[in-house]
Amino acid sequence: MAYDPNNIFAKILRGEIPAHKLYEDEDTLVFLDIMPRTEGHALVVTKEKACDLFDIEPEALAKLIAVVQKLAPKIKEAVGADGVLIQQFNGEAAGQTVFHLHFHIVPIRRGVPVKPHAGQMEDQAVLAKTAEKIRKVLKG
Ligand code: 5GP
């Protein structure tokens, strides 16, 4: 599959559409999922033009997963979760809906149901509040 430079994450990376950003470095941008499966559901997005896991050099992938490893425990702490689900979909048949490589960080609280993947849009004010809570923990 050819990489589409007009996919929604490419537009967020270029600043053409807004997102509740949590973290950014030279290679990676992290922001809240607009249809969160749980509170704090975040997306760790590479700045490489890669459709999926099989479309990126191992070195660049290593940088991406390192950000997942660094941020997941902090996001978990910020929202008071008990565990973290890391998800990554490759191809439409596997459930991928945005064809720009990313990992999902989904904090899990015991007894709180996980909503369906790419289900319902969250209120912007709720996302803003969650993002603020997470940024505070990330700042340390
Ligand atoms: P995928 O199915 O490709 O693994 O995940 C794409 C994710 O992007 C979904 O969880 C979906 O809710 C999220 N998403 C789709 N459009 C937008 C958007 O415009 N902004 C943000 N922040 N997330 C989006």
Side-chain angles (χ1 to χ4, degrees):
M1 167 189 241
Y3 178 80
D4 172 11
N6 285 319
N7 75 73
I8 201 88
F9 293 172
K11 288 181 179 173
I12 291 173
L13 285 169
R14 290 196 295 266
E16 292 167 10
I17 64 164
H20 295 275
K21 294 180 186 174
L22 304 174
Y23 169 91
E24 182 163 17
D25 64 29
E26 214 182 309
D27 309 291
T28 319
L29 181 64
V30 183
F31 50 85
L32 287 180
D33 195 298
I34 207 166
M35 294 175 251
R37 305 195 64 189
T38 63
E39 186 192 8
H41 180 176
L43 301 169
V44 181
V45 178
T46 181
K47 291 187 181 177
E48 295 285 325
K49 291 177 174 57
C51 296
D52 60 23
L53 192 71
F54 314 113
D55 191 28
I56 190 168
E57 292 300 321
E59 295 75 17
L61 179 60
K63 286 181 182 169
L64 187 64
I65 197 71
V67 175
V68 174
Q69 187 187 41
K70 184 163 89 173
L71 261 66
K74 297 195 169 156
I75 293 175
K76 173 180 170 239
E77 178 193 333
V79 299
D82 302 300
V84 190
L85 171 68
I86 306 297
Q87 282 192 308
Q88 197 276 315
F89 301 83
N90 297 284
E92 201 178 345
Q96 187 176 7
T97 56
V98 177
F99 299 92
H100 181 116
L101 175 61
H102 57 281
F103 284 84
H104 296 254
I105 294 176
V106 185
I108 305 290
R109 286 183 90 153
R110 269 191 210 96
V112 178
V114 178
K115 291 180 192 159
H117 173 59
Q120 205 182 324
M121 220 50 116
E122 183 56 278
D123 194 81
Q124 286 296 322
V126 172
L127 291 174
K129 217 168 154 187
T130 302
E132 202 42 57
K133 215 157 49 170
I134 294 170
R135 282 190 215 109
K136 217 166 160 183
V137 171
L138 291 178
K139 268 188 209 146

